[in-house]
Amino acid sequence: MTLDANDKLLETVLQEYKILAEYERLQSEDLGGIYVTPSYENPFLWFGVIFVRSGLYKDAVFRFTVTLPSGFPNDSTVPTVTFQSDVFHPLVNPNDGVVELSEAFPKWQSGDNHIWQMLKFVQFILQNLDDHPIQSSHVANNEAYELLMENRPEFQLRVEHCVEESQRKLYELPAHPDRFYICFDRFNPDVHGPALESMKESKAMEVTTPPSSGLSWVRKGLYQPLSK
């Protein structure tokens, strides 16, 4: 193996280590209602689900992906957060679902910026929209912005529709599922009942890192994640 090849291999290993460290750091932060896992096939692609717990988008269950730039984290390019279903929001592009992050992350600064901060920002703009003054220069959906400013009832109606759609799509699988894609089953008493009883006994109703049994579901009508 040539010196250049060795250097390239070392560079790749170091980059993968930094990506893993970034993911481990995300796991240690308080991101209640947000679940993320890297793709099995591509370390630069992460799958995520956010359960919105308050605000106008309450009860929405939005799937999203995080795409890291090829030079991450030593690249000023900001990672991309893309919703997989329609999210009617002034900061979400209606054509491709990409979240406008430039307000909080004009460029990526390695060591100072982290993926968990991006996800915290996304959570904030969904749960605290009224507390977040949106500048017109950062708007990604002009229709949503205009309705929010000028016709609040219509805006709320459109939001309700996208919340309902997100719930309907919760159990859908992608056309080419990844081994680590986050999947949910409808509650089945025969399959999930024993796990639920065990959780009740231990009073561990908050989801953390799922143990090895791998059971995961969402209770019908509540859209709250339950795992064991």
Side-chain angles (χ1 to χ4, degrees), residues 37-125:
T37 182
S39 163
Y40 177 78
E41 300 178 349
N42 180 5
F44 295 91
L45 176 65
W46 297 5
F47 302 112
V49 180
I50 178 169
F51 289 77
V52 185
R53 295 174 171 175
S54 61
L56 292 175
Y57 299 84
K58 182 180 179 181
D59 294 331
V61 188
F62 294 130
R63 290 188 178 276
F64 63 88
T65 58
V66 178
T67 305
L68 308 180
S70 60
F72 183 88
N74 302 319
D75 190 324
S76 61
T77 304
V78 178
T80 304
V81 176
T82 307
F83 283 112
Q84 303 304 295
S85 61
D86 292 335
V87 179
F88 192 71
H89 192 287
L91 296 181
V92 179
N93 191 307
N95 299 315
D96 55 17
V98 173
V99 182
E100 174 56 58
L101 299 169
S102 62
E103 174 190 351
F105 303 91
K107 67 177 182 178
W108 194 256
Q109 298 180 359
S110 180
D112 293 329
N113 295 147
H114 300 283
I115 301 299
W116 73 266
Q117 296 169 331
M118 292 175 49
L119 299 183
K120 202 72 173 177
F121 175 76
V122 172
Q123 184 181 57
F124 181 80
I125 64 173

Side-chain angles (χ1 to χ4, degrees), residues 3-22:
L3 181 60
D4 288 344
N6 281 328
D7 290 344
K8 184 64 176 178
L9 177 60
L10 178 60
E11 181 182 339
T12 300
V13 171
L14 288 176
Q15 184 181 29
E16 291 181 353
Y17 174 81
K18 291 178 180 178
I19 291 175
L20 177 59
E22 186 70 27

Side-chain angles (χ1 to χ4, degrees), residues 195-206:
L196 177 58
E197 291 305 316
S198 176
M199 292 169 65
K200 286 181 178 179
E201 291 174 4
S202 63
K203 298 181 180 180
M205 297 306 293
E206 278 294 322

